[in-house]
C-alpha cells in the first residue's frame, strides 16, 4: 500500500493477473470410469453358491485396473471408480471388461467379457455392457464414463 492507503504502482504490478483471464489455467483431460454394478449373472463357475465377481478393465488392450471381489452374488452395486488419461480423444478409447470369479483355491475363473466403444454412443452414462461367454449372454455390467478437464499445475 502506498501513502494514505492508495496502491503504489509496485503493488498493482505484483497483483496483476492473479485470478484474471490474463493467465488462463492450463488443463488436461481425464476419464472417470465408474463400474456401477454387476447385473444378473447367469453363468455359474462354483459348485456351491454363487460367484465371487470382480471386473478387470482394459482400454485399448492395456490394463486399467480391477474392482474388488464381492462374495457370493450374481448381482451387486459396486460404484467403483477407475481414472485414466488418454493420449488422444478419450472417446476413441476402446474399453473392454472381463468378469472374473475369485477363487480361494486355484486360479480365478473367467465368467464372461464384453466391450464398450464410447465413440458410437450418444450418452456415456448408465450404459449396459452385455457380457458373453462362448457366444452366450451371461448378464451385464453397468458403467458411467465422465470426461473432464482438470487444472494442470
Amino acid at each position: 500500500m502506498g501513502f494514505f492507503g492508495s496502491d503504489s504502482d509496485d503493488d498493482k504490478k505484483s497483483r496483476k493477473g492473479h485470478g484474471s483471464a490474463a493467465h488462463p489455467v492450463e488443463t488436461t483431460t481425464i476419464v472417470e470410469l465408474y463400474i456401477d454394478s454387476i447385473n444378473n449373472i447367469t453363468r455359474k463357475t462354483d459348485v456351491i453358491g454363487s460367484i465371487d465377481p470382480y471386473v478387470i478393465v482394459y482400454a485399448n488392450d492395456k490394463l486399467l485396473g480391477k474392482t474388488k471381489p464381492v462374495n457370493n452374488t450374481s448381482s451387486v452395486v459396486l460404484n467403483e471408480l477407475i481414472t485414466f488419461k488418454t493420449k488422444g480423444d478419450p472417446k476413441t478409447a476402446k474399453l473392454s471388461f472381463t468378469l472374473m470369479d475369485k477363487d480361494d483355491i486355484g486360479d480365478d475363473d473367467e465368467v464372461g467379457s464384453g466391450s464398450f466403444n464410447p465413440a458410437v454412443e450418444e450418452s456415456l452414462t448408465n450404459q449396459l455392457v452385455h457380457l458373453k461367454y462362448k457366444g452366450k449372454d451371461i448378464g451385464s455390467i453397468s458403467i458411467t464414463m465422465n470426461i473432464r478437464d482438470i487444472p494442470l499445475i
Side-chain angles (χ1 to χ4, degrees):
M1 285 277 167
F3 190 67
F4 293 113
S6 65
D7 288 341
S8 71
D9 285 340
D10 287 340
D11 287 336
K12 289 178 186 172
K13 287 178 188 171
S14 69
R15 289 195 313 261
K16 188 175 184 178
H18 289 284
S20 72
H23 296 287
V25 176
E26 187 178 353
T27 62
T28 187
T29 302
I30 63 165
V31 178
E32 296 172 329
L33 179 66
Y34 290 89
I35 310 302
D36 298 322
S37 62
I38 297 170
N39 313 303
N40 305 314
I41 303 304
T42 57
R43 183 166 181 261
K44 291 186 174 248
T45 58
D46 292 338
V47 177
I48 300 172
S50 292
I51 63 170
D52 305 314
Y54 66 95
V55 180
I56 303 174
V57 181
Y58 301 88
N60 300 333
D61 297 322
K62 293 183 182 171
L63 176 66
L64 292 179
K66 60 184 178 179
T67 65
K68 295 179 186 122
V70 180
N71 289 332
N72 206 31
T73 187
S74 60
S75 293
V76 64
V77 174
L78 295 174
N79 291 326
E80 290 201 35
L81 171 64
I82 296 174
T83 303
F84 63 98
K85 181 171 175 39
T86 62
K87 290 182 180 175
D89 181 357
K91 283 192 164 191
T92 63
K94 304 286 191 277
L95 300 175
S96 59
F97 304 88
T98 303
L99 182 67
M100 300 293 291
D101 176 20
K102 179 77 176 153
D103 287 333
D104 293 331
I105 300 172
D107 294 334
D108 295 353
D109 301 310
E110 180 179 333
V111 179
S113 61
S115 61
F116 179 74
N117 183 351
V120 299
E121 299 294 335
E122 284 186 34
S123 171
L124 300 178
T125 59
N126 298 321
Q127 289 289 326
L128 279 182
V129 177
H130 296 278
L131 303 174
K132 293 184 180 281
Y133 185 78
K134 295 185 177 180
K136 296 178 87 174
D137 289 326
I138 57 96
S140 65
I141 61 172
S142 300
I143 65 166
T144 294
M145 185 175 166
N146 293 326
I147 300 171
R148 301 194 315 131
D149 287 333
I150 60 169
L152 185 62
I153 54 170

